PDB file of all heavy atoms in Angstrom:
ATOM      1  N   ASP K  62     -21.726  -8.463   9.561  1.00 87.00           N
ATOM      2  CA  ASP K  62     -21.756  -7.933  10.892  1.00 87.00           C
ATOM      3  C   ASP K  62     -22.180  -9.107  11.791  1.00 87.00           C
ATOM      4  O   ASP K  62     -23.370  -9.553  11.757  1.00 87.00           O
ATOM      5  CB  ASP K  62     -22.750  -6.728  10.962  1.00 87.00           C
ATOM      6  CG  ASP K  62     -22.361  -5.657  10.063  1.00 87.00           C
ATOM      7  OD1 ASP K  62     -21.255  -5.273  10.045  1.00 87.00           O
ATOM      8  OD2 ASP K  62     -23.358  -5.171   9.359  1.00 87.00           O
ATOM      9  N   VAL K  63     -21.301  -9.504  12.668  1.00 86.00           N
ATOM     10  CA  VAL K  63     -21.588 -10.639  13.576  1.00 86.00           C
ATOM     11  C   VAL K  63     -21.622 -10.038  15.079  1.00 86.00           C
ATOM     12  O   VAL K  63     -20.497  -9.580  15.529  1.00 86.00           O
ATOM     13  CB  VAL K  63     -20.570 -11.788  13.532  1.00 86.00           C
ATOM     14  CG1 VAL K  63     -20.855 -12.857  14.499  1.00 86.00           C
ATOM     15  CG2 VAL K  63     -20.469 -12.258  12.154  1.00 86.00           C
ATOM     16  N   HIS K  64     -22.830 -10.037  15.638  1.00 90.00           N
ATOM     17  CA  HIS K  64     -22.913  -9.436  16.972  1.00 90.00           C
ATOM     18  C   HIS K  64     -23.840 -10.331  17.738  1.00 90.00           C
ATOM     19  O   HIS K  64     -24.566 -11.161  17.140  1.00 90.00           O
ATOM     20  CB  HIS K  64     -23.494  -8.090  16.960  1.00 90.00           C
ATOM     21  CG  HIS K  64     -22.714  -7.100  16.134  1.00 90.00           C
ATOM     22  ND1 HIS K  64     -21.480  -6.590  16.516  1.00 90.00           N
ATOM     23  CD2 HIS K  64     -23.034  -6.414  14.934  1.00 90.00           C
ATOM     24  CE1 HIS K  64     -21.048  -5.708  15.645  1.00 90.00           C
ATOM     25  NE2 HIS K  64     -21.930  -5.744  14.594  1.00 90.00           N
ATOM     26  N   TYR K  65     -23.922 -10.227  19.022  1.00 90.00           N
ATOM     27  CA  TYR K  65     -24.919 -10.878  19.861  1.00 90.00           C
ATOM     28  C   TYR K  65     -26.173 -10.013  19.717  1.00 90.00           C
ATOM     29  O   TYR K  65     -26.235  -8.850  20.202  1.00 90.00           O
ATOM     30  CB  TYR K  65     -24.480 -10.904  21.341  1.00 90.00           C
ATOM     31  CG  TYR K  65     -23.341 -11.926  21.680  1.00 90.00           C
ATOM     32  CD1 TYR K  65     -21.965 -11.472  21.812  1.00 90.00           C
ATOM     33  CD2 TYR K  65     -23.666 -13.297  21.620  1.00 90.00           C
ATOM     34  CE1 TYR K  65     -21.008 -12.382  22.088  1.00 90.00           C
ATOM     35  CE2 TYR K  65     -22.564 -14.146  21.860  1.00 90.00           C
ATOM     36  CZ  TYR K  65     -21.385 -13.722  22.102  1.00 90.00           C
ATOM     37  OH  TYR K  65     -20.344 -14.621  22.268  1.00 90.00           O
ATOM     38  N   PRO K  66     -27.228 -10.565  19.148  1.00 90.00           N
ATOM     39  CA  PRO K  66     -28.366  -9.706  18.778  1.00 90.00           C
ATOM     40  C   PRO K  66     -29.082  -9.142  19.946  1.00 90.00           C
ATOM     41  O   PRO K  66     -29.712  -8.041  19.847  1.00 90.00           O
ATOM     42  CB  PRO K  66     -29.226 -10.724  17.980  1.00 90.00           C
ATOM     43  CG  PRO K  66     -28.776 -12.044  18.448  1.00 90.00           C
ATOM     44  CD  PRO K  66     -27.332 -11.996  18.668  1.00 90.00           C
ATOM     45  N   HIS K  67     -29.114  -9.729  21.115  1.00 91.00           N
ATOM     46  CA  HIS K  67     -29.896  -9.359  22.240  1.00 91.00           C
ATOM     47  C   HIS K  67     -29.227  -8.253  23.037  1.00 91.00           C
ATOM     48  O   HIS K  67     -29.844  -7.701  23.966  1.00 91.00           O
ATOM     49  CB  HIS K  67     -30.304 -10.465  23.099  1.00 91.00           C
ATOM     50  CG  HIS K  67     -31.269 -11.489  22.480  1.00 91.00           C
ATOM     51  ND1 HIS K  67     -30.760 -12.484  21.718  1.00 91.00           N
ATOM     52  CD2 HIS K  67     -32.661 -11.446  22.442  1.00 91.00           C
ATOM     53  CE1 HIS K  67     -31.860 -13.195  21.178  1.00 91.00           C
ATOM     54  NE2 HIS K  67     -32.898 -12.593  21.661  1.00 91.00           N
ATOM     55  N   LEU K  68     -27.926  -7.937  22.794  1.00 94.00           N
ATOM     56  CA  LEU K  68     -27.241  -6.890  23.514  1.00 94.00           C
ATOM     57  C   LEU K  68     -27.577  -5.561  22.818  1.00 94.00           C
ATOM     58  O   LEU K  68     -27.714  -5.423  21.620  1.00 94.00           O
ATOM     59  CB  LEU K  68     -25.711  -7.092  23.466  1.00 94.00           C
ATOM     60  CG  LEU K  68     -25.217  -8.357  24.153  1.00 94.00           C
ATOM     61  CD1 LEU K  68     -23.640  -8.387  24.082  1.00 94.00           C
ATOM     62  CD2 LEU K  68     -25.588  -8.337  25.682  1.00 94.00           C
ATOM     63  N   THR K  69     -27.642  -4.506  23.640  1.00 95.00           N
ATOM     64  CA  THR K  69     -27.750  -3.184  23.092  1.00 95.00           C
ATOM     65  C   THR K  69     -26.490  -2.643  22.473  1.00 95.00           C
ATOM     66  O   THR K  69     -25.431  -3.369  22.666  1.00 95.00           O
ATOM     67  CB  THR K  69     -28.319  -2.230  24.172  1.00 95.00           C
ATOM     68  OG1 THR K  69     -27.192  -2.037  25.147  1.00 95.00           O
ATOM     69  CG2 THR K  69     -29.570  -2.709  24.831  1.00 95.00           C
ATOM     70  N   VAL K  70     -26.571  -1.578  21.802  1.00 96.00           N
ATOM     71  CA  VAL K  70     -25.405  -0.995  21.218  1.00 96.00           C
ATOM     72  C   VAL K  70     -24.354  -0.601  22.261  1.00 96.00           C
ATOM     73  O   VAL K  70     -23.234  -0.834  22.132  1.00 96.00           O
ATOM     74  CB  VAL K  70     -25.795   0.315  20.357  1.00 96.00           C
ATOM     75  CG1 VAL K  70     -24.500   1.047  19.879  1.00 96.00           C
ATOM     76  CG2 VAL K  70     -26.642  -0.021  19.151  1.00 96.00           C
ATOM     77  N   LEU K  71     -24.860  -0.019  23.302  1.00 97.00           N
ATOM     78  CA  LEU K  71     -23.969   0.421  24.464  1.00 97.00           C
ATOM     79  C   LEU K  71     -23.377  -0.805  25.099  1.00 97.00           C
ATOM     80  O   LEU K  71     -22.082  -0.865  25.300  1.00 97.00           O
ATOM     81  CB  LEU K  71     -24.791   1.211  25.541  1.00 97.00           C
ATOM     82  CG  LEU K  71     -24.033   1.550  26.813  1.00 97.00           C
ATOM     83  CD1 LEU K  71     -22.823   2.452  26.481  1.00 97.00           C
ATOM     84  CD2 LEU K  71     -24.995   2.164  27.773  1.00 97.00           C
ATOM     85  N   GLU K  72     -24.131  -1.935  25.360  1.00 96.00           N
ATOM     86  CA  GLU K  72     -23.518  -3.048  25.909  1.00 96.00           C
ATOM     87  C   GLU K  72     -22.552  -3.751  24.943  1.00 96.00           C
ATOM     88  O   GLU K  72     -21.473  -4.246  25.450  1.00 96.00           O
ATOM     89  CB  GLU K  72     -24.702  -4.126  26.217  1.00 96.00           C
ATOM     90  CG  GLU K  72     -25.579  -3.600  27.346  1.00 96.00           C
ATOM     91  CD  GLU K  72     -26.827  -4.510  27.456  1.00 96.00           C
ATOM     92  OE1 GLU K  72     -27.235  -5.178  26.443  1.00 96.00           O
ATOM     93  OE2 GLU K  72     -27.468  -4.503  28.503  1.00 96.00           O
ATOM     94  N   THR K  73     -22.799  -3.829  23.715  1.00 96.00           N
ATOM     95  CA  THR K  73     -21.896  -4.417  22.722  1.00 96.00           C
ATOM     96  C   THR K  73     -20.524  -3.717  22.822  1.00 96.00           C
ATOM     97  O   THR K  73     -19.475  -4.375  22.814  1.00 96.00           O
ATOM     98  CB  THR K  73     -22.439  -4.406  21.346  1.00 96.00           C
ATOM     99  OG1 THR K  73     -23.687  -5.067  21.273  1.00 96.00           O
ATOM    100  CG2 THR K  73     -21.481  -4.903  20.308  1.00 96.00           C
ATOM    101  N   LEU K  74     -20.511  -2.416  22.651  1.00 96.00           N
ATOM    102  CA  LEU K  74     -19.264  -1.632  22.657  1.00 96.00           C
ATOM    103  C   LEU K  74     -18.577  -1.612  23.982  1.00 96.00           C
ATOM    104  O   LEU K  74     -17.383  -1.628  24.083  1.00 96.00           O
ATOM    105  CB  LEU K  74     -19.531  -0.204  22.133  1.00 96.00           C
ATOM    106  CG  LEU K  74     -19.922  -0.177  20.695  1.00 96.00           C
ATOM    107  CD1 LEU K  74     -20.307   1.236  20.204  1.00 96.00           C
ATOM    108  CD2 LEU K  74     -18.930  -0.780  19.764  1.00 96.00           C
ATOM    109  N   CYS K 107     -29.655   5.392  19.261  1.00 94.00           N
ATOM    110  CA  CYS K 107     -29.937   4.035  19.335  1.00 94.00           C
ATOM    111  C   CYS K 107     -29.063   3.208  20.318  1.00 94.00           C
ATOM    112  O   CYS K 107     -29.016   2.017  20.366  1.00 94.00           O
ATOM    113  CB  CYS K 107     -29.780   3.277  17.973  1.00 94.00           C
ATOM    114  SG  CYS K 107     -28.181   3.257  17.207  1.00 94.00           S
ATOM    115  N   ARG K 108     -28.396   4.025  21.298  1.00 94.00           N
ATOM    116  CA  ARG K 108     -27.442   3.369  22.144  1.00 94.00           C
ATOM    117  C   ARG K 108     -28.117   2.427  23.100  1.00 94.00           C
ATOM    118  O   ARG K 108     -27.310   1.416  23.450  1.00 94.00           O
ATOM    119  CB  ARG K 108     -26.740   4.485  23.074  1.00 94.00           C
ATOM    120  CG  ARG K 108     -27.707   5.179  23.959  1.00 94.00           C
ATOM    121  CD  ARG K 108     -27.108   6.452  24.477  1.00 94.00           C
ATOM    122  NE  ARG K 108     -25.918   6.242  25.202  1.00 94.00           N
ATOM    123  CZ  ARG K 108     -25.791   5.932  26.464  1.00 94.00           C
ATOM    124  NH1 ARG K 108     -26.869   5.815  27.191  1.00 94.00           N
ATOM    125  NH2 ARG K 108     -24.630   5.783  27.065  1.00 94.00           N
ATOM    126  N   ASN K 109     -29.460   2.452  23.408  1.00 95.00           N
ATOM    127  CA  ASN K 109     -30.091   1.532  24.223  1.00 95.00           C
ATOM    128  C   ASN K 109     -30.975   0.480  23.513  1.00 95.00           C
ATOM    129  O   ASN K 109     -31.731  -0.155  24.144  1.00 95.00           O
ATOM    130  CB  ASN K 109     -30.844   2.203  25.330  1.00 95.00           C
ATOM    131  CG  ASN K 109     -29.961   2.957  26.222  1.00 95.00           C
ATOM    132  OD1 ASN K 109     -28.879   2.574  26.734  1.00 95.00           O
ATOM    133  ND2 ASN K 109     -30.261   4.222  26.548  1.00 95.00           N
ATOM    134  N   SER K 110     -30.771   0.495  22.159  1.00 94.00           N
ATOM    135  CA  SER K 110     -31.593  -0.434  21.396  1.00 94.00           C
ATOM    136  C   SER K 110     -30.813  -1.776  21.106  1.00 94.00           C
ATOM    137  O   SER K 110     -29.564  -1.667  20.905  1.00 94.00           O
ATOM    138  CB  SER K 110     -31.979   0.167  20.046  1.00 94.00           C
ATOM    139  OG  SER K 110     -32.724   1.297  20.175  1.00 94.00           O
ATOM    140  N   PRO K 111     -31.488  -2.907  21.187  1.00 93.00           N
ATOM    141  CA  PRO K 111     -30.749  -4.161  20.810  1.00 93.00           C
ATOM    142  C   PRO K 111     -30.236  -4.167  19.349  1.00 93.00           C
ATOM    143  O   PRO K 111     -30.925  -3.607  18.494  1.00 93.00           O
ATOM    144  CB  PRO K 111     -31.786  -5.189  21.097  1.00 93.00           C
ATOM    145  CG  PRO K 111     -33.173  -4.516  20.958  1.00 93.00           C
ATOM    146  CD  PRO K 111     -32.906  -3.112  21.413  1.00 93.00           C
ATOM    147  N   VAL K 112     -29.082  -4.856  19.178  1.00 93.00           N
ATOM    148  CA  VAL K 112     -28.560  -4.759  17.841  1.00 93.00           C
ATOM    149  C   VAL K 112     -29.330  -5.570  16.873  1.00 93.00           C
ATOM    150  O   VAL K 112     -29.464  -5.210  15.693  1.00 93.00           O
ATOM    151  CB  VAL K 112     -27.040  -5.430  17.989  1.00 93.00           C
ATOM    152  CG1 VAL K 112     -26.460  -5.631  16.611  1.00 93.00           C
ATOM    153  CG2 VAL K 112     -26.133  -4.612  18.865  1.00 93.00           C
ATOM    154  N   GLY K 113     -29.876  -6.804  17.220  1.00 88.00           N
ATOM    155  CA  GLY K 113     -30.739  -7.560  16.377  1.00 88.00           C
ATOM    156  C   GLY K 113     -29.936  -8.196  15.233  1.00 88.00           C
ATOM    157  O   GLY K 113     -28.665  -8.370  15.349  1.00 88.00           O
ATOM    158  N   GLY K 114     -30.580  -8.386  14.132  1.00 77.00           N
ATOM    159  CA  GLY K 114     -29.885  -8.860  12.943  1.00 77.00           C
ATOM    160  C   GLY K 114     -30.440 -10.335  12.544  1.00 77.00           C
ATOM    161  O   GLY K 114     -31.505 -10.684  13.056  1.00 77.00           O
ATOM    162  N   CYS K 115     -29.777 -10.921  11.592  1.00 67.00           N
ATOM    163  CA  CYS K 115     -30.301 -12.131  10.965  1.00 67.00           C
ATOM    164  C   CYS K 115     -30.391 -13.267  11.956  1.00 67.00           C
ATOM    165  O   CYS K 115     -31.076 -14.260  11.751  1.00 67.00           O
ATOM    166  CB  CYS K 115     -29.522 -12.552   9.748  1.00 67.00           C
ATOM    167  SG  CYS K 115     -27.783 -12.842  10.222  1.00 67.00           S
ATOM    168  N   ALA K 117     -31.446 -13.051  14.988  1.00 65.00           N
ATOM    169  CA  ALA K 117     -32.466 -12.770  15.983  1.00 65.00           C
ATOM    170  C   ALA K 117     -33.845 -12.902  15.306  1.00 65.00           C
ATOM    171  O   ALA K 117     -34.020 -12.847  14.060  1.00 65.00           O
ATOM    172  CB  ALA K 117     -32.299 -11.447  16.531  1.00 65.00           C
ATOM    173  N   PHE K 119     -36.070 -10.661  16.019  1.00 76.00           N
ATOM    174  CA  PHE K 119     -36.483  -9.257  15.960  1.00 76.00           C
ATOM    175  C   PHE K 119     -35.602  -8.431  15.060  1.00 76.00           C
ATOM    176  O   PHE K 119     -34.450  -8.890  14.893  1.00 76.00           O
ATOM    177  CB  PHE K 119     -36.682  -8.741  17.269  1.00 76.00           C
ATOM    178  CG  PHE K 119     -35.415  -8.819  18.107  1.00 76.00           C
ATOM    179  CD1 PHE K 119     -34.543  -7.764  18.120  1.00 76.00           C
ATOM    180  CD2 PHE K 119     -35.149  -9.962  18.860  1.00 76.00           C
ATOM    181  CE1 PHE K 119     -33.311  -7.825  18.872  1.00 76.00           C
ATOM    182  CE2 PHE K 119     -33.986  -9.998  19.541  1.00 76.00           C
ATOM    183  CZ  PHE K 119     -33.170  -8.949  19.641  1.00 76.00           C
ATOM    184  N   ARG K 120     -36.029  -7.307  14.569  1.00 80.00           N
ATOM    185  CA  ARG K 120     -35.271  -6.612  13.632  1.00 80.00           C
ATOM    186  C   ARG K 120     -34.066  -5.897  14.313  1.00 80.00           C
ATOM    187  O   ARG K 120     -32.883  -5.934  13.835  1.00 80.00           O
ATOM    188  CB  ARG K 120     -36.100  -5.513  12.956  1.00 80.00           C
ATOM    189  CG  ARG K 120     -35.411  -4.705  11.829  1.00 80.00           C
ATOM    190  CD  ARG K 120     -36.434  -3.832  11.175  1.00 80.00           C
ATOM    191  NE  ARG K 120     -35.794  -3.115  10.093  1.00 80.00           N
ATOM    192  CZ  ARG K 120     -35.083  -2.009  10.223  1.00 80.00           C
ATOM    193  NH1 ARG K 120     -35.037  -1.350  11.437  1.00 80.00           N
ATOM    194  NH2 ARG K 120     -34.503  -1.355   9.286  1.00 80.00           N
ATOM    195  N   GLY K 121     -34.309  -5.231  15.463  1.00 88.00           N
ATOM    196  CA  GLY K 121     -33.184  -4.421  16.007  1.00 88.00           C
ATOM    197  C   GLY K 121     -32.910  -3.189  15.314  1.00 88.00           C
ATOM    198  O   GLY K 121     -33.766  -2.605  14.719  1.00 88.00           O
ATOM    199  N   ILE K 122     -31.672  -2.775  15.447  1.00 93.00           N
ATOM    200  CA  ILE K 122     -31.267  -1.481  14.704  1.00 93.00           C
ATOM    201  C   ILE K 122     -31.168  -1.598  13.192  1.00 93.00           C
ATOM    202  O   ILE K 122     -31.177  -2.791  12.661  1.00 93.00           O
ATOM    203  CB  ILE K 122     -29.998  -0.896  15.277  1.00 93.00           C
ATOM    204  CG1 ILE K 122     -28.838  -1.889  15.209  1.00 93.00           C
ATOM    205  CG2 ILE K 122     -30.179  -0.566  16.826  1.00 93.00           C
ATOM    206  CD1 ILE K 122     -27.493  -1.497  15.692  1.00 93.00           C
ATOM    207  N   SER K 123     -31.053  -0.651  12.536  1.00 91.00           N
ATOM    208  CA  SER K 123     -30.995  -0.641  11.043  1.00 91.00           C
ATOM    209  C   SER K 123     -29.651  -1.226  10.597  1.00 91.00           C
ATOM    210  O   SER K 123     -28.633  -1.320  11.321  1.00 91.00           O
ATOM    211  CB  SER K 123     -31.147   0.772  10.455  1.00 91.00           C
ATOM    212  OG  SER K 123     -30.070   1.645  10.750  1.00 91.00           O
ATOM    213  N   GLY K 124     -29.616  -1.517   9.348  1.00 89.00           N
ATOM    214  CA  GLY K 124     -28.350  -2.097   8.748  1.00 89.00           C
ATOM    215  C   GLY K 124     -27.131  -1.117   8.742  1.00 89.00           C
ATOM    216  O   GLY K 124     -26.054  -1.472   9.022  1.00 89.00           O
ATOM    217  N   GLU K 126     -26.765   1.311  10.944  1.00 94.00           N
ATOM    218  CA  GLU K 126     -26.422   1.438  12.378  1.00 94.00           C
ATOM    219  C   GLU K 126     -25.601   0.251  12.792  1.00 94.00           C
ATOM    220  O   GLU K 126     -24.564   0.350  13.593  1.00 94.00           O
ATOM    221  CB  GLU K 126     -27.730   1.709  13.312  1.00 94.00           C
ATOM    222  CG  GLU K 126     -28.293   3.012  13.114  1.00 94.00           C
ATOM    223  CD  GLU K 126     -29.740   3.110  13.692  1.00 94.00           C
ATOM    224  OE1 GLU K 126     -30.281   1.977  13.909  1.00 94.00           O
ATOM    225  OE2 GLU K 126     -30.095   4.267  14.041  1.00 94.00           O
ATOM    226  N   ARG K 127     -25.958  -0.941  12.323  1.00 93.00           N
ATOM    227  CA  ARG K 127     -25.258  -2.105  12.703  1.00 93.00           C
ATOM    228  C   ARG K 127     -23.808  -2.100  12.078  1.00 93.00           C
ATOM    229  O   ARG K 127     -22.872  -2.534  12.805  1.00 93.00           O
ATOM    230  CB  ARG K 127     -26.128  -3.406  12.210  1.00 93.00           C
ATOM    231  CG  ARG K 127     -25.648  -4.716  12.878  1.00 93.00           C
ATOM    232  CD  ARG K 127     -26.494  -5.852  12.443  1.00 93.00           C
ATOM    233  NE  ARG K 127     -27.833  -5.601  12.840  1.00 93.00           N
ATOM    234  CZ  ARG K 127     -28.920  -5.346  12.046  1.00 93.00           C
ATOM    235  NH1 ARG K 127     -28.792  -5.441  10.758  1.00 93.00           N
ATOM    236  NH2 ARG K 127     -30.130  -5.211  12.559  1.00 93.00           N
ATOM    237  N   LYS K 128     -23.719  -1.584  10.973  1.00 94.00           N
ATOM    238  CA  LYS K 128     -22.382  -1.480  10.321  1.00 94.00           C
ATOM    239  C   LYS K 128     -21.528  -0.516  11.085  1.00 94.00           C
ATOM    240  O   LYS K 128     -20.335  -0.745  11.364  1.00 94.00           O
ATOM    241  CB  LYS K 128     -22.536  -0.958   8.806  1.00 94.00           C
ATOM    242  CG  LYS K 128     -21.245  -0.812   8.143  1.00 94.00           C
ATOM    243  CD  LYS K 128     -20.380  -2.079   8.109  1.00 94.00           C
ATOM    244  CE  LYS K 128     -21.022  -3.178   7.168  1.00 94.00           C
ATOM    245  NZ  LYS K 128     -20.140  -4.374   7.126  1.00 94.00           N
ATOM    246  N   VAL K 130     -21.814  -0.019  14.303  1.00 95.00           N
ATOM    247  CA  VAL K 130     -21.356  -0.706  15.518  1.00 95.00           C
ATOM    248  C   VAL K 130     -20.174  -1.632  15.211  1.00 95.00           C
ATOM    249  O   VAL K 130     -19.200  -1.614  16.035  1.00 95.00           O
ATOM    250  CB  VAL K 130     -22.473  -1.582  16.066  1.00 95.00           C
ATOM    251  CG1 VAL K 130     -22.055  -2.446  17.204  1.00 95.00           C
ATOM    252  CG2 VAL K 130     -23.674  -0.694  16.537  1.00 95.00           C
ATOM    253  N   SER K 131     -20.089  -2.216  14.036  1.00 95.00           N
ATOM    254  CA  SER K 131     -18.887  -3.034  13.684  1.00 95.00           C
ATOM    255  C   SER K 131     -17.780  -2.279  13.562  1.00 95.00           C
ATOM    256  O   SER K 131     -16.661  -2.571  13.989  1.00 95.00           O
ATOM    257  CB  SER K 131     -19.196  -3.823  12.424  1.00 95.00           C
ATOM    258  OG  SER K 131     -20.219  -4.627  12.541  1.00 95.00           O
ATOM    259  N   GLN K 134     -16.469  -1.200  17.070  1.00 94.00           N
ATOM    260  CA  GLN K 134     -15.657  -2.270  17.782  1.00 94.00           C
ATOM    261  C   GLN K 134     -14.146  -2.155  17.520  1.00 94.00           C
ATOM    262  O   GLN K 134     -13.367  -2.461  18.361  1.00 94.00           O
ATOM    263  CB  GLN K 134     -16.245  -3.533  17.520  1.00 94.00           C
ATOM    264  CG  GLN K 134     -17.535  -3.935  18.094  1.00 94.00           C
ATOM    265  CD  GLN K 134     -18.042  -5.346  17.849  1.00 94.00           C
ATOM    266  OE1 GLN K 134     -18.068  -5.822  16.714  1.00 94.00           O
ATOM    267  NE2 GLN K 134     -18.489  -6.093  18.902  1.00 94.00           N
TER     268      GLN K 134
END
Side-chain angles (χ1 to χ4, degrees):
D62 302 315
V63 181
H64 304 289
Y65 289 104
H67 293 85
L68 295 182
T69 66
V70 171
L71 176 60
E72 290 169 339
T73 299
L74 293 178
C107 63
R108 65 195 302 275
N109 294 316
S110 300
V112 174
C115 61
F119 55 92
R120 184 175 182 274
I122 59 178
S123 69
E126 291 167 338
R127 196 174 298 114
K128 178 59 67 176
V130 171
S131 298
Q134 287 184 312

